[in-house]
């Protein structure tokens, strides 16, 4: 059977000048003349989204396949790709429908892989075919891709940095080496102007083309993309034809076909930009997805006729549909979107932030450079965050500093003049007039100090349980947010809807304006782990650089090996410690039985204590239903033996858990010198008896006295010396009177050098001694924190849960966050 014939046989009109490459499924253009080709282009563009490509057809016949696929809608065309190796056998098919909806139905998630076609219509034998979206591409010989614009070079940066020793200077130098220069910016603005002109001349006189993103926010690296928002404006008077453009017609509206578009355009009309027009009125809404898709197609159609635009690629399936293209002369990548002005306005906000203080732009660029180096931020998919999200993380950091460099956004919104500009109901206005804003405290931190501070801040907080908000200007606990919405949000609680802000993601970073949007909602676990590793590793290297600066020191930060710790699971405290009020849970590293025992022995020399700790281990195991005496099962069958092995393993695990509990108790009681709850109760009773006038202070304000004041009252607590009680794993409640996490590092080097012979745990004990010698806590004030610890076996690992019982302000957060990194690190070093 001949190809042409079969098409006629099935009563489908196949356009004669279209032929199909059977093995690629791509329709190739057969026309020779340019105008005809353009006509065909347009025709095909019209069909975009209305076709499906089908292969793996087996021995199916056209009639049965057509019968099956006609149930989804009216078929307008079928193109057959014949199997080259076997006559009359179909290799693939393209079916075009009248409506896009038919294609969407066929490709819907439910149906996509379930197209079982009856081999003979009406019979039971079925054959599964593979169906995908029909992609159309030009077979026209393509001109070579324009060379990309000059990009930043890490090699060059490193060479240039090596002549500076001062870290602040190196950060300044990074900005100079990477920033867009005047010319680059002009180039990008010219692209926007030309696009605007093109659309204006072709039926959209009111269109507004606005660049956004790194081109305008002050943070663009050399060679960065241009993000463009195109508002087509009022309904066109001389509308662009929605059907195929007929290039044979004298009324062709696409006047730019091959001539008349070049950069001289700008020179002729230097002020002719519609670029700086703004949307009139204060309310603007988003185009619906459908209308954005239409605009994307229309724009792609128009851009194809601009000789300066190449590689035009509409992406209609994205959350925000865009047309991608490359500006031919400069090689600059452009992304054009049509959704709303939100991106233009939030870019203005970022620009405002970068201009608030001279340190902010170099700081942000240096951080962006580090993230780019490790491919942790930017576009192009993968397990990373967007540069926009990274910028917002830096903004939050600068807002929450003790002496902030930026105001929270809600503060900026309190000082706006006139009506706020709303986009989709969200307030996108902010006051950019510094003279109207409350003054910020003087902050004299250096650039590198701020840089280190950023990595320190994010390596010390448990991102997984936090909520980061540039609107609030701080980081708060997610659970707090669920319990009570901060008052700054009053009148805008929409974002807590289940489909709103996704609070259960690895990172929850709220968009400053569109409060329902979590900028990190798509970050996968691998990306999260790498990000956490990046924060830690960069911060650790920063500490070394602070101690010993060297020429080109920043280069060390660009040559790290960032490896996420694959062994660390991220347990959900609520899930692991069901029924308790555990606030934070983390895994403890696995330490060998021998090491564990060695350290337990050092601290449990007291016979009574030893007996107490080991007794309690055995006692608990005896109580445990799993812990049957395995020796009784000698004569059992193979099955029983294997059960016994399992049982023995469980017993061993349970035993180890008890030992870990003792170890944790040793660390808390001896190394960090927390008081056991029991001891605290005893002391309190004792101190109450002494306190004859009954002037016990429990007033909140007094609780917040700085430590220096408290030290003057010399009511020292004795260190828990020989009491075995705290080491009993059942005593898991601890009373904390001193900021054991603060300034500890200061004594570290000294103690470790002076007390070489001591074990790690003993050295830690000495560090606490040193630390505590600086002040004496007073017992008649309530303690800073009372907390409980819990150990559980989670997915074969030891997991530690920390539960807050009582705390002065949010001090427990500091303690827990510190313990989260301190304990695993300490245990690894045993
Ligand atoms: P990018 O993440 O591309 O940032 O977002 P960028 O600064 O342009 O970085 P590079 O140089 O291209 O890598 C671009 C703009 O898109 C909007 C913002 O306006 C941002 O400035 N955007 C991006 C959002 O509004 N929300 C997002 O989640 C991401
Ligand atoms: Mg961008």
């Amino acid at each position: 059977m001949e190809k042409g014939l079969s098409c006629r046989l099935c009563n489908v009109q196949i356009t004669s000048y279209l032929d199909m490459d059977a093995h690629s499924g791509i329709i190739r253009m057969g026309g020779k003349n340019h105008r005809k080709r353009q006509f065909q282009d347009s025709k095909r563009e019209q069909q975009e989204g209305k076709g499906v490509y089908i292969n793996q057809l087996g021995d199916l016949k056209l009639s049965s396949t057509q019968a099956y696929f006609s149930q989804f809608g009216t078929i307008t065309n079928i193109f057959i790709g014949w199997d080259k190796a076997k006559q009359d056998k179909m290799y693939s098919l393209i079916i075009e429908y009248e409506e896009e909806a038919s294609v969407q139905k066929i490709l819907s998630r439910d149906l996509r892989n379930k197209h079982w076609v009856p081999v003979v219509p009406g019979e039971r034998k079925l054959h599964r075919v593979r169906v995908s979206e029909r992609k159309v591409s030009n077979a026209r010989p393509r001109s070579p891709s324009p060379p990309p614009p000059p990009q930043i070079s890490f090699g060059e940066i490193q060479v240039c940095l090596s002549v500076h020793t001062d870290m602040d200077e190196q950060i300044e130098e990074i900005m100079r080496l990477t920033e867009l220069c005047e010319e680059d910016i002009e180039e990008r603005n010219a692209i926007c102007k030309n696009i605007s002109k093109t659309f204006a001349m072709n039926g959209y006189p009111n269109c507004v083309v606005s660049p956004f993103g790194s081109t305008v926010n002050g943070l663009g690296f050399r060679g960065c993309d241009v993000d463009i928002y195109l508002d087509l404006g009022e309904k066109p008077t001389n509308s662009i034809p929605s059907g195929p453009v007929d290039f044979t017609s004298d009324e062709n509206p696409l006047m730019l076909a091959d001539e008349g578009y070049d950069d001289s355009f700008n020179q002729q009309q230097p002020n002719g930009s519609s670029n700086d027009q703004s949307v009139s009125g204060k309310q603007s809404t988003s185009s619906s997805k459908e209308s954005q898709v239409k605009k994307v197609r229309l724009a792609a159609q128009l851009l194809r006729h601009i000789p300066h635009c190449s590689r035009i690629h509409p992406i209609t399936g994205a959350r925000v549909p865009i047309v991608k293209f490359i500006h031919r002369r400069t090689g600059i990548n452009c992304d054009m979107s049509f959704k709303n002005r939100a991106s233009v306005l939030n870019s203005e906000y970022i620009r405002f932030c970068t201009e608030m203080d001279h340190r902010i732009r170099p700081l942000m660029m240096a951080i962006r450079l580090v993230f780019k180096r490790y491919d942790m931020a930017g576009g192009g998919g993968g397990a990373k965050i967007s540069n926009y999200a990274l910028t917002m993380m830096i903004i939050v950091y600068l807002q929450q500093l003790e002496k902030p460099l930026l105001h929270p956004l809600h503060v900026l919104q309190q000082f706006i003049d006139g009506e706020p500009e709303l986009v989709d109901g969200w307030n996108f206005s902010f006051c950019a007039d510094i003279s109207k804003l409350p003054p910020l405290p003087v902050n004299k931190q250096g650039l590198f100090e701020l840089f280190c501070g950023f990595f320190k801040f994010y390596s010390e907080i448990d991102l997984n349980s936090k909520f980061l908000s540039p609107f609030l200007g701080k980081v708060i606990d997610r659970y707090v947010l669920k319990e009570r919405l901060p008052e700054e949000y009053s009148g805008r609680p929409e974002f807590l809807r289940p489909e709103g802000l996704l609070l259960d993601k690895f990172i929850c970073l709220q968009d400053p304006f569109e409060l329902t949007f979590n900028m990190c909602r798509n970050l996968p676990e691998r990306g999260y782990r790498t990000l956490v590793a990046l924060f830690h590793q960069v911060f650790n290297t920063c500490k070394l650089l602070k101690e010993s600066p060297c020429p080109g020191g920043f280069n060390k930060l660009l040559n790290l090996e960032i490896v996420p710790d694959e062994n660390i699971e991220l347990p959900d405290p609520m899930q692991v410690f069901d029924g308790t009020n555990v606030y934070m849970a983390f895994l403890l590293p696995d330490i060998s039985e021998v090491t564990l025992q060695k350290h337990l022995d050092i601290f449990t020399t007291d016979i009574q204590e030893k007996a107490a700790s080991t007794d309690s281990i055995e006692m608990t195991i005896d109580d445990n239903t799993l812990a049957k005496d395995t020796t009784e099962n000698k004569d059992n069958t193979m099955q029983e033996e294997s059960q016994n092995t399992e049982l023995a393993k469980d017993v061993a695990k349970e035993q180890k858990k008890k030992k870990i509990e003792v170890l944790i108790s040793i660390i808390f009681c001896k190394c960090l010198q927390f008081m056991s709850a029991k001891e605290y109760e005893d002391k309190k009773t004792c101190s109450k008896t002494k306190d004859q006038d009954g002037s016990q202070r429990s007033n909140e304000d007094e609780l917040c006295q700085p430590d220096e004041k408290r030290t003057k009252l010399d009511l020292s607590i004795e260190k828990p010396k020989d009491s075995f009680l705290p080491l009993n794993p059942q005593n898991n409640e601890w009373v904390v009177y001193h900021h054991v996490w603060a300034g500890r590092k200061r004594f570290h080097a000294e103690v470790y050098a002076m007390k070489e012979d001591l074990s790690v745990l003993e050295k830690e004990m000495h560090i606490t001694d040193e630390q505590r010698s600086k002040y004496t806590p007073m017992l008649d004030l309530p303690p800073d924190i009372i907390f409980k610890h819990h150990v559980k076996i989670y997915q074969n690992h030891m997991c530690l849960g920390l539960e807050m019982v009582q705390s002065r302000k949010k001090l427990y957060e500091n303690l827990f966050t510190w313990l989260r990194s301190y304990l695993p690190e300490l245990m690894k070093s045993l």
Side-chain angles (χ1 to χ4, degrees):
M1 202 194 304
E2 281 181 23
K3 291 172 200 179
L5 265 181
S6 74
C7 307
R8 266 177 246 120
L9 277 180
C10 63
N11 271 341
V12 175
Q13 184 214 338
I14 296 181
T15 330
S16 57
Y17 49 79
L18 292 176
D19 191 11
M20 197 167 85
D21 176 333
H23 288 270
S24 67
I26 286 170
I27 299 175
R28 302 204 175 274
M29 307 301 296
K32 282 176 195 156
N33 105 13
H34 179 67
R35 296 219 156 201
K36 186 174 171 191
R37 219 165 50 203
Q38 284 181 327
F39 172 68
Q40 289 161 354
D41 272 358
S42 318
K43 199 161 172 68
R44 285 185 306 111
E45 269 151 20
Q46 241 197 321
Q47 287 308 317
E48 199 148 344
K50 294 185 182 170
V52 285
Y53 173 74
I54 305 158
N55 64 350
Q56 295 182 2
L57 288 158
D59 289 324
L60 284 177
K61 295 279 173 268
L62 183 63
S63 53
S64 46
T65 318
Q66 188 196 347
Y68 172 81
F69 281 97
S70 59
Q71 64 176 305
F72 297 102
T74 312
I75 296 176
T76 53
N77 274 314
I78 295 184
F79 306 105
I80 310 163
W82 295 100
D83 195 323
K84 282 180 184 156
K86 206 169 165 195
Q87 226 195 347
D88 287 351
K89 184 173 174 328
M90 295 190 299
Y91 178 85
S92 60
L93 282 176
I94 286 176
I95 301 185
E96 280 185 0
Y97 288 87
E98 203 168 75
E99 303 286 343
E100 274 187 37
S102 312
V103 171
Q104 279 159 13
K105 203 148 114 200
I106 293 172
L107 297 176
S108 67
R109 194 183 294 185
D110 292 347
L111 278 181
R112 194 177 190 107
N113 299 316
K114 295 184 189 146
H115 291 290
W116 293 90
V117 178
V119 175
V120 176
E123 286 196 8
R124 290 181 75 185
K125 195 176 170 204
L126 303 172
H127 173 81
R128 190 164 75 165
V129 294
R130 193 166 161 267
V131 186
S132 48
E133 191 185 343
R134 189 273 296 264
K135 294 262 187 317
V136 187
S137 96
N138 285 331
R140 268 187 263 166
R142 299 176 105 191
S143 52
S145 276
Q151 306 281 324
I152 59 165
S153 143
F154 282 98
E156 187 194 326
I157 292 170
Q158 298 197 34
V159 170
C160 296
L161 293 185
S162 61
V163 298
H164 301 275
T165 303
D166 184 276
M167 291 302 289
D168 289 7
E169 276 176 25
Q170 292 180 50
I171 294 179
E172 296 274 6
E173 181 71 7
I174 286 173
M175 182 175 75
R176 279 193 293 276
L177 293 165
T178 56
E179 71 188 340
L180 285 173
C181 64
E182 279 294 307
E183 247 174 50
D184 296 325
I185 296 173
E186 274 168 25
E187 197 101 70
R188 285 163 167 75
N189 284 334
I191 294 175
C192 294
K193 280 181 189 172
N194 284 339
I195 291 171
S196 162
K197 207 80 196 175
T198 308
F199 279 80
M201 286 170 73
N202 286 279
Y204 295 92
N206 303 317
C207 75
V208 180
V209 179
S210 314
F212 65 92
S214 54
T215 303
V216 297
N217 63 21
L219 302 172
F221 285 152
R222 277 190 330 215
C224 72
D225 300 356
V226 187
D227 297 299
I228 297 164
Y229 166 63
L230 176 58
D231 180 356
L232 289 172
E234 301 277 295
K235 218 175 157 45
T237 43
N238 183 13
S239 150
I240 203 98
S242 53
V245 179
D246 183 0
F247 289 94
T248 54
S249 158
D250 288 334
E251 287 168 16
N252 173 16
L254 298 166
M255 286 137 34
L256 296 170
D258 278 331
E259 62 283 88
Y261 182 90
D262 65 18
D263 286 353
S264 60
F265 216 44
N266 295 319
Q267 286 144 28
Q268 288 160 13
Q269 305 190 24
N271 303 317
S273 160
S274 56
N275 211 9
D276 28 33
Q277 293 175 31
S278 63
V279 167
S280 58
K282 285 284 179 184
Q283 278 271 1
S284 72
T285 46
S286 292
S287 304
S288 70
K289 179 94 185 261
E290 202 185 329
S291 104
Q292 289 176 63
V293 169
K294 277 190 187 145
K295 288 176 188 171
V296 159
R297 295 206 174 118
L298 178 107
Q301 194 181 335
L302 262 173
L303 292 170
R304 285 205 172 96
H305 300 284
I306 303 178
H308 279 238
C309 297
S310 63
R311 299 286 182 272
I312 297 140
H313 186 42
I315 300 177
T316 51
R319 189 179 79 94
V320 179
I322 55 168
V323 196
K324 279 183 150 323
F325 60 94
I326 301 179
H327 185 247
R328 205 184 289 279
R329 192 172 54 73
T330 56
I332 293 173
N333 276 296
C334 307
D335 291 351
M336 186 186 279
S337 59
F338 303 84
K339 192 180 175 201
N340 58 31
R341 263 172 59 76
S343 309
V344 178
L345 297 169
N346 61 28
S347 298
E348 274 172 24
Y349 170 64
I350 295 176
R351 175 152 203 115
F352 163 78
C353 291
T354 62
E355 288 171 351
M356 268 296 278
D357 184 282
H358 66 99
R359 287 162 290 184
I360 297 180
R361 198 160 80 89
L363 173 74
M364 285 185 170
M365 293 195 73
I367 295 173
R368 279 168 83 125
L369 185 77
V370 171
F371 273 69
K372 185 178 172 70
R373 175 74 185 81
Y374 300 108
D375 202 19
M376 278 315 297
K384 53 185 154 183
I385 57 173
S386 67
N387 264 319
Y388 177 67
L390 173 60
T391 311
M392 290 302 164
M393 285 180 90
I394 308 175
I395 289 177
V396 173
Y397 159 68
L398 295 173
Q399 290 169 326
Q400 63 71 54
L401 287 172
E402 206 184 321
K403 292 177 176 165
L405 288 181
L406 293 172
H407 295 88
L409 181 71
H410 77 88
V411 173
L412 303 186
Q413 292 193 328
Q414 285 161 25
F415 295 89
I416 45 176
D417 287 329
E419 286 295 298
E421 177 162 359
L422 302 180
V423 179
D424 279 353
W426 299 110
N427 181 359
F428 272 77
S429 296
F430 60 92
C431 171
D433 181 349
I434 301 176
S435 66
K436 288 188 185 150
L437 297 171
L440 292 169
V442 178
N443 175 320
K444 292 190 174 158
Q445 283 179 274
L447 264 179
F448 187 56
E449 202 182 335
L450 288 166
F451 178 92
C452 297
F454 170 78
F455 288 95
K456 179 172 191 284
F457 177 65
Y458 283 111
S459 55
E460 285 179 352
I461 60 172
D462 174 31
L463 275 169
N464 200 220
S465 66
K466 300 286 180 191
F467 167 73
L468 286 63
S469 165
F471 176 83
L472 281 183
K474 58 184 173 193
V475 170
I476 59 172
D477 283 304
R478 292 186 203 177
Y479 80 87
V480 171
L481 189 74
K482 282 184 199 160
E483 276 169 14
R484 190 174 51 84
L485 202 63
E487 58 186 22
E488 291 87 341
Y489 288 115
S490 57
R492 19 187 154 198
E494 300 92 330
F495 70 87
L496 282 183
R497 292 189 313 248
E499 73 282 14
L501 193 72
L502 302 168
L503 270 179
D504 55 348
K505 299 288 170 181
F506 289 106
I507 297 184
C508 187
L509 173 60
Q510 185 185 39
D511 187 274
F513 303 100
E514 196 186 327
L515 301 177
T516 32
F517 184 61
N518 174 6
M519 292 176 259
C520 295
R521 73 208 176 291
N522 289 332
L523 183 72
E525 182 167 352
R526 186 165 55 89
Y528 173 76
R529 285 168 194 271
T530 318
L531 197 70
V532 171
L534 178 75
F535 284 127
H536 278 101
Q537 282 177 244
V538 174
F539 175 53
N540 287 338
T541 314
C542 281
K543 281 189 283 186
L544 297 177
L545 287 171
K546 254 186 181 171
E547 281 162 21
S548 42
C550 59
F554 198 95
N555 292 341
K556 289 212 168 87
L557 302 172
L558 300 176
N559 292 300
L560 299 170
E561 200 183 330
I562 307 293
V563 204
D565 190 343
E566 292 298 335
N567 297 324
I568 293 184
E569 295 295 324
L570 301 161
D572 170 3
M574 298 308 157
Q575 186 198 330
V576 186
F577 296 93
D578 201 22
T580 57
N581 227 346
V582 163
Y583 167 79
M584 182 186 283
F586 49 90
L587 297 187
L588 298 171
D590 196 18
I591 31 179
S592 76
E593 197 73 33
V594 182
T595 315
L596 189 56
Q597 196 56 56
K598 191 177 88 191
H599 286 279
L600 295 188
D601 286 347
I602 299 172
F603 279 88
T604 52
T605 43
D606 184 306
I607 293 168
Q608 195 187 12
E609 201 170 290
K610 222 175 197 172
S613 57
T614 36
D615 272 2
S616 79
I617 294 169
E618 272 144 30
M619 211 176 66
T620 330
I621 293 161
D622 281 343
D623 287 349
N624 194 316
T625 45
L626 289 170
K628 287 178 189 154
D629 186 351
T630 48
T631 52
E632 284 176 13
N633 299 324
K634 274 179 209 152
D635 304 328
N636 287 350
T637 59
M638 286 267 282
Q639 194 190 356
E640 281 170 329
E641 265 174 37
S642 88
Q643 274 175 2
N644 287 343
T645 324
E646 284 305 306
L647 214 55
K649 272 190 199 161
D650 285 336
V651 171
K653 229 184 278 167
E654 205 52 39
Q655 248 165 356
K656 189 156 184 185
K657 180 185 148 208
K658 293 293 161 201
K659 287 188 178 174
I660 291 282
E661 282 181 332
V662 177
L663 178 76
I664 296 291
S665 298
I666 289 175
I667 296 174
F668 285 165
C669 153
K670 308 263 176 177
C671 300
L672 302 178
Q673 300 177 15
F674 298 157
M675 200 188 288
S676 77
K678 169 90 180 61
E679 202 180 347
Y680 171 65
E681 284 305 320
D682 292 351
K683 299 234 177 200
K684 219 164 66 171
T685 323
C686 177
S687 133
K688 259 189 198 163
T689 335
K690 276 192 219 159
D691 196 355
Q692 292 301 329
D693 64 1
S695 60
Q696 287 253 322
R697 281 173 283 174
S698 57
N699 180 303
E700 257 293 309
D701 293 340
E702 286 173 0
L703 294 189
C704 304
Q705 283 182 59
D707 288 337
E708 303 87 68
K709 272 198 184 166
R710 304 164 81 221
T711 59
K712 283 180 199 147
L713 303 163
D714 189 20
L715 281 164
S716 63
I717 31 168
E718 281 166 40
K719 272 187 276 167
K721 265 190 224 149
D722 300 323
S723 155
F724 67 85
L725 262 172
L727 298 195
N728 184 334
Q730 273 142 29
N731 295 311
N732 66 341
E733 191 168 323
W734 303 96
V735 180
V736 183
Y737 264 97
H738 62 293
H739 294 191
V740 70
W741 58 92
R744 210 176 162 78
K745 290 272 150 69
R746 259 184 290 153
F747 310 105
H748 193 272
E750 196 184 325
V751 168
Y752 270 68
M754 303 275 290
K755 314 267 179 190
E756 256 181 23
D757 301 339
L758 297 183
S759 74
V760 174
L761 295 183
E762 286 167 314
K763 286 177 193 157
E764 289 298 317
M765 201 169 82
H766 280 279
I767 293 178
T768 311
D769 275 344
E770 290 290 333
Q771 201 185 29
R772 290 189 58 183
S773 68
K774 298 283 174 248
Y775 64 90
T776 319
M778 48 186 285
L779 263 182
D780 59 345
L781 282 183
D784 283 343
I785 305 151
I786 302 182
F787 75 98
K788 281 187 185 175
H789 81 263
H790 308 266
V791 179
K792 271 215 168 174
I793 299 170
Y794 173 76
Q795 292 179 357
N796 257 334
H797 295 279
M798 296 295 163
C799 183
L800 186 78
L802 299 173
E803 176 187 351
M804 194 269 282
V805 177
Q806 179 188 316
S807 171
R808 207 158 60 88
K809 294 197 171 157
K810 296 274 181 176
L811 281 179
Y812 71 101
E813 283 186 9
N814 300 5
L815 174 70
F816 288 2
T817 314
W818 176 72
L819 285 175
R820 188 192 179 120
S821 57
Y822 172 80
L823 285 176
E825 270 174 33
L826 179 67
M827 286 171 69
K828 273 186 206 165
S829 70
L830 290 179

